[in-house]
Amino acid sequence: MALFVKHLRLGLIVKHGFHPLPQLTAAKYSVYPPHYVEPVFKKQDIDKLQESGEIENYKLVPFKAARSNDTCSVFHDPLVSKFINYMLKKGQKKIARQVLENTFEKIKRLQLAKYNRETDPERKASIIIDPVIIFKKAVSNCKPLLKLTAVKRGGSYYQVPVPITDKESTFYAMRWFVHCGREKDKAVSFADFMASELINASNNDGRVFKKKLDLHKLCEANRAYAHYRWS
Amino acid sequence: MRAYRRVCNYATAAIKQEAQYQIPTAARTDKTNPADHDHHDESKFYTIDPKTITSLFQMGGLPKPFTEQTQMFAETALMVRKPALEVIRGLKLADYQKPVIRYLLYGQTGSGKSLSLAHILHYAHNSKFILYHIPYVPIWLKYDRKEVNWSTTKNGLADIPLIAAQWLKHFKHQNEVLLNELNLTTSQDYVWSIRETTPKGTILNELITHGINRAKYACDCMDILLNELKAHCSNNKCKMLVAVDGFNAFFNEKTDLKTEDRVRVTPQQISMVQTGLSAVLSDWNNGAVVMVTSPRAALNTKRESHLPIYLCGRQGFEHIDPFIPVMVPELTTTEFNNMLDYYEEKRWLQKTGGRKELEFLTSRLPAELMARCASL
């Protein structure tokens, strides 16, 4: 497939006349060359850089433009906006955002009900109501430590446990949440389901947390293949 | 693994930070009777006891999101605001021998008109007014799932019997105690059919019960009840407050309702609407009329302005002229901060910063603020 793409590209070059530097590298597309730096889009961050004098280092460095969902709002959270991107369908971001906001409201309602029911002041103080903290806790609780990749050895594929990067494990956890939300019973709304699921996961419980444990179990079962990673 | 731990620690660190932060408490007044409220209590919260809530607003009157919120907060706290105080002051100082004064609350969607009306209703209830309260007019006229019949008594008008019966229940629920105390009676015989009559001198409670049980006559019962009450008020036997929320819906171009012979009726063709319109006339004394116009009560093609003359039209404006317009503005800065303090006190708002941002996003409209804070 990649070869085909390369040929196509060469064909295009032929069509448009010879380019002085024909691009024959990876087919990955980006507007920005690799030396462009990620933008600092929060005003508060820029102020901090200015205070510490670190801004001098950025003076001659070209920046990427900020994305349309990057804001310097106090309520902006990169993990949350990433999650919205994972759960959206057909680019309908507005709907996805509203659904997640609904979810957060429901989390708060559930937790507040618990909070108001509790009489012991110490336990009362320990109840987390902030939905974003619950969300983060839930995601971090569901992040796997290993993953399985298929490695071909002697004509057959083996599921080999390999270490996972932080970014990828976050992606795994969030994707599990979204998939669980889509597999749920139709009578329950996505927001309702997600709210209870996130609260459960923040207490090391629930379907998504179980998925992580299942993956760990599989990795444990396939530990005999671990050396296929390098040999 | 290290990164994993770091993220785990993040959550606990945030909790620790929260423990250090001093959660503010909202400014409140101890005066539970709205008659005592004055400008010192402005922008403070006062709590209404649950008993009053059930007796006043059990069958409508408070906006739904607000009711949900009160259930969660386990208390009903209203902010004392200037427009309500202004009307209450007017009610206190009015000369009740003169024809009734009409107040009109108007303002943008979500600026707190209905809750101001609730405050006024609480005052009126405490100072022994009979409440002729129409909780929200559009629920009469929207959603075509209702039984609509042509009236037998009034030519060319249509009845919505079940809705009228429901409203009578609402009226009875609000005023039962007061009506029993006052012992008001009917001034003439009313013949419903060959077998059913209400003789002269019957207690009004019985008249209402008849309307509830025989829904066919509920619309007529509503009208008769209004005329009786107007007469009693003019004879100095009682005081009455007519309160209409969503008043401008009376002058909408159309309704969703159809009669059995599939004729679409306009609001003016409905007998209940005519009763409501005659309630706000100033042909009686010893009472007051408070109306609320809101863009949301208008048809969705006619919501550009919140000004009464735009919403009611020339005809509606002339119907209620002269009246005292009372603008319900957005929250002032102190009110806004107190509102957020209240939300933080009740743990509804979890983010401590960003007040300026919220102010910008909601343009200090309380309903919008409530919705914005829902996910924060």
Side-chain angles (χ1 to χ4, degrees), chain A residues 73-74 108 115 130 136 140, chain B residues 4 10 347-348 357 373 376:
Chain A
S73 160
V74 186
K108 236 159 64 170
Y115 182 86
D130 192 342
K136 281 182 175 167
S140 70
Chain B
Y4 174 72
Y10 175 85
R347 314 294 152 116
W348 181 239
E357 192 177 324
C373 291
L376 299 176

Side-chain angles (χ1 to χ4, degrees), chain A residues 108-133:
Chain A
K108 236 159 64 170
R109 278 175 195 277
L110 289 171
Q111 293 298 92
L112 265 178
K114 269 184 219 166
Y115 182 86
N116 291 335
R117 241 184 285 133
E118 193 61 63
T119 45
D120 183 28
E122 235 176 66
R123 268 201 222 157
K124 204 168 191 175
S126 72
I127 293 173
I128 309 170
I129 304 166
D130 192 342
V132 176
I133 291 178

Side-chain angles (χ1 to χ4, degrees), chain A:
Chain A
M1 189 63 203
L3 250 174
F4 176 71
V5 172
K6 253 183 201 174
H7 283 302
L8 210 140
R9 214 167 252 214
L10 271 176
L12 277 178
I13 289 163
V14 171
K15 221 181 186 179
H16 294 295
F18 283 101
H19 202 267
L21 267 171
Q23 208 181 26
L24 290 171
T25 46
K28 205 175 168 187
Y29 174 79
S30 169
V31 188
Y32 297 104
H35 65 279
Y36 272 61
V37 183
E38 287 293 322
V40 183
F41 57 85
K42 288 207 169 191
K43 262 188 183 174
Q44 300 92 311
D45 292 352
I46 292 174
D47 288 346
K48 264 183 210 166
L49 286 177
Q50 229 149 15
E51 260 178 44
S52 62
E54 267 181 73
I55 201 126
E56 296 293 316
N57 305 341
Y58 290 91
K59 256 188 178 170
L60 298 171
V61 181
F63 272 94
K64 288 178 191 174
R67 282 173 212 85
S68 62
N69 61 337
D70 289 343
T71 78
C72 53
S73 160
V74 186
F75 311 120
H76 176 258
D77 194 288
L79 201 74
V80 172
S81 65
K82 202 79 196 164
F83 189 73
I84 290 170
N85 286 352
Y86 288 150
M87 63 186 260
L88 87 116
K89 277 181 177 174
K90 293 185 181 176
Q92 299 192 14
K93 200 163 192 168
K94 197 180 168 192
I95 293 176
R97 197 167 54 223
Q98 277 167 358
V99 168
L100 195 70
E101 272 170 13
N102 261 342
T103 310
F104 281 175
E105 186 187 338
K106 275 175 184 148
I107 289 177
K108 236 159 64 170
R109 278 175 195 277
L110 289 171
Q111 293 298 92
L112 265 178
K114 269 184 219 166
Y115 182 86
N116 291 335
R117 241 184 285 133
E118 193 61 63
T119 45
D120 183 28
E122 235 176 66
R123 268 201 222 157
K124 204 168 191 175
S126 72
I127 293 173
I128 309 170
I129 304 166
D130 192 342
V132 176
I133 291 178
I134 286 181
F135 169 77
K136 281 182 175 167
K137 225 181 153 189
V139 169
S140 70
N141 282 349
C142 293
K143 276 160 82 173
L145 302 172
L146 290 164
K147 67 168 178 177
L148 290 169
T149 45
V151 173
K152 198 178 177 185
R153 282 285 177 280
S156 57
Y157 285 95
Y158 294 96
Q159 294 294 323
V160 179
V162 294
I164 195 168
T165 59
D166 184 42
K167 196 181 167 189
E168 204 173 2
S169 71
T170 316
F171 170 67
Y172 266 60
M174 292 213 218
R175 197 183 55 174
W176 282 336
F177 272 110
V178 175
H179 283 190
C180 270
R182 287 184 187 158
E183 282 162 13
K184 59 144 181 67
D185 186 37
K186 263 197 175 176
V188 190
S189 80
F190 186 90
D192 275 334
F193 179 85
M194 245 358 193
S196 57
E197 196 59 52
L198 284 168
I199 292 170
N200 283 342
S202 70
N203 299 325
N204 289 338
D205 195 17
R207 281 200 216 179
V208 180
F209 188 72
K210 222 186 143 207
K211 271 196 176 184
K212 179 189 115 171
L213 293 186
D214 287 349
L215 180 66
H216 283 184
K217 259 182 214 166
L218 259 178
C219 289
E220 186 69 30
N222 289 4
R223 65 188 294 183
Y225 306 139
H227 65 281
Y228 285 157
R229 193 156 70 87
W230 58 82
S231 63

